[in-house]
Amino acid sequence: MPAEGPGPAEPAQVTVIRDTDDLPTTGRRLRELTDPDGGIVVLRPVPYSGSINDFLFCVLEGLGKHLPARLSSPQRPWDQAKAWVTGYRLAHLVVDRAHTMPAEFAPYLRALLGPHRPHRTRLWLIDASRTTASSVVTAFGRDPDSQVRTVDPRELDRIRPRPPAATRAKAIGEPIPDDLPADNFLTFRAACIRALDRNTAARVDQLWLKTFQAARTWLRAHRKVGEAGQAPDRLALPLSIHLAARLYRCASDGEALVRLRATQAAFLRDGLLLHHQTWPGAPGLGHRLTSTAVAAINRATIATGPAAAATLFLLFPFDRRGDERYWHPSTLTMDDVTSTATGIKINGEYLPIPAHARPAIAAHLAFRQMQGPRHPGDPFFDLTPPHDDVRTQADRALTATTAAGDPSADRVEPPAGHGTLWMRQRRLILRNLVGNAHTLDLSTPAWT
């Protein structure tokens, strides 16, 4: 029997839908409701089956998993399924034809609801029986720790999925438009003042100045005095995280461009050229965690580890372990992931996770906690090298997405400089313009 976890659990909120006529409209309504991303999962159990494996198969299928013809059991399959339910933070769990499910499965259903608010799931049981028989419906009816009410099928109309998670941050005030001048960072600010209306130009200039000052402050904190002539290779990783944390919060592509141009101008004051090379078809400045890619990752894998690894790869791509210039998630600890999966810490900097991409991260965090007593400093991924690697796990799940792997090399080679894989995907290169003698190297620089 699954454990409820430490501490007393809150009463389970159970609604029994009495559908003695077994109306076809009820089945059609349930098919319309199925939406794990919207917080609703509909379970369709194998009728009168007492097999826990059949129940597990039913839960995974309700979560939208693409199950193989022969289900190969992952590590701790029940915990994997329960972790996914936790990751999606379901508002409603609906069991179709619940009168055919044995009463012995009631503790498993209760465990899927979670013990505490604010994300306690409401359970809906569709009862189409004409006679009273032993089933999960009667089991919850006798359970003193469950609050049960009985209603007619029209009550299903009260179930509403959550609205789709926004892929961009909410703009504070009016967002920066996307149609901005295409000038390089040397003339971008002046071009915006000339080309835009007064109100828009003022908002762009205010954002530019704020970002410029923040970039100057950041650079002073990360660059030691007297290293003007040194190659800025050690700045590439912290700069990538700094840019990602700010660009991911942008409410529009125009805001991301303004922040990039201001950062480029700030870095030039210290003799550093942050070169940005663009061409048609190149990926934008934001993350590649589209809703389509996330859905493909989450549906393709049963285990939480590969899905979380693939999500992190699209959030902040990593090379194979051993190349220390790039961040690698094998260094990630459980304490580096927020309890609600809203963000992660990389090299001490907070990186936000978009709302639609949090289920896999939250599910794997829940699974790691289910494995037993955990210390906050324990690794987020429990691997057994050299037979397994986070990149290998990510590749397994990425095969189902259109964003798999590294971007292909373009015919135009970027100028020499330093950069992480995250920077290369966005055609960003960091170059030092100051030599050992503190003289400027202006040999064919690219001012973009």
Side-chain angles (χ1 to χ4, degrees), residues 42 61 73 77 92 113 140 160 184-185 204 217 222 226 252 309 328 361-362 371 378 387 405 428 432 444:
V42 178
E61 191 174 43
S73 179
H92 305 282
L113 304 182
F140 276 104
R160 292 286 186 274
N184 63 42
F185 71 90
V204 168
T217 302
H222 285 77
S252 65
H328 198 277
I361 305 296
Q371 287 183 303
D378 286 348
H387 305 292
L428 293 168
N432 196 357
T444 61

Side-chain angles (χ1 to χ4, degrees), residues 287-318:
H287 53 68
R288 301 165 68 193
L289 273 170
T290 63
S291 298
T292 302
V294 168
I297 290 171
N298 293 346
R299 303 295 184 266
T301 176
I302 296 173
T304 59
T311 301
L312 285 176
F313 180 85
L314 295 186
L315 183 75
F316 196 91
F318 45 88

Side-chain angles (χ1 to χ4, degrees), residues 172-348:
I172 301 176
E174 209 171 341
I176 302 295
D178 293 335
D179 188 16
L180 297 177
D183 293 50
N184 63 42
F185 71 90
L186 296 175
T187 59
F188 176 79
R189 186 184 181 193
C192 288
I193 294 175
R194 289 195 307 268
L196 303 176
D197 64 83
R198 181 178 297 180
N199 290 335
T200 304
R203 286 188 287 111
V204 168
D205 204 50
Q206 184 180 17
L207 177 63
W208 191 97
L209 283 170
K210 181 180 179 181
T211 306
F212 179 86
Q213 296 296 340
R216 293 279 293 156
T217 302
W218 182 89
L219 190 56
R220 284 195 297 268
H222 285 77
R223 204 174 192 200
K224 297 178 181 178
V225 178
E227 66 170 6
Q230 298 177 11
D233 57 332
R234 71 175 190 83
L235 282 177
L237 177 59
L239 174 61
S240 299
I241 302 168
H242 173 77
L243 287 175
R246 278 135 192 87
L247 295 180
Y248 287 177
R249 292 187 178 96
C250 291
S252 65
D253 291 331
E255 180 183 340
L257 180 61
V258 174
R259 290 189 180 277
L260 174 64
R261 292 290 183 252
T263 303
Q264 290 176 288
F267 274 48
L268 186 64
R269 293 282 296 270
D270 272 40
L272 294 174
L273 175 62
L274 179 58
H275 172 73
H276 180 220
Q277 184 173 349
T278 60
W279 50 77
L285 293 172
H287 53 68
R288 301 165 68 193
L289 273 170
T290 63
S291 298
T292 302
V294 168
I297 290 171
N298 293 346
R299 303 295 184 266
T301 176
I302 296 173
T304 59
T311 301
L312 285 176
F313 180 85
L314 295 186
L315 183 75
F316 196 91
F318 45 88
D319 280 2
R320 296 190 181 277
R321 194 74 174 103
D323 193 340
E324 299 300 339
R325 291 180 300 164
Y326 306 107
W327 173 77
H328 198 277
S330 62
T331 63
L332 198 68
T333 68
M334 294 180 64
D335 197 34
D336 290 332
V337 183
T338 60
S339 59
T340 55
T342 54
I344 59 173
K345 281 195 300 183
I346 299 178
N347 282 22

Side-chain angles (χ1 to χ4, degrees), residues 2 6 52 62 64 80 92 95 114 123 127 162 188 191 201-202 212 228 263 273 323 325 347 352 392 400 412 442 447:
I52 185 59
Q80 296 278 2
H92 305 282
V95 182
L123 179 63
D127 182 8
R162 288 191 297 258
F188 176 79
F212 179 86
T263 303
L273 175 62
D323 193 340
R325 291 180 300 164
N347 282 22
T392 304
V412 182
L442 301 178
W447 305 105

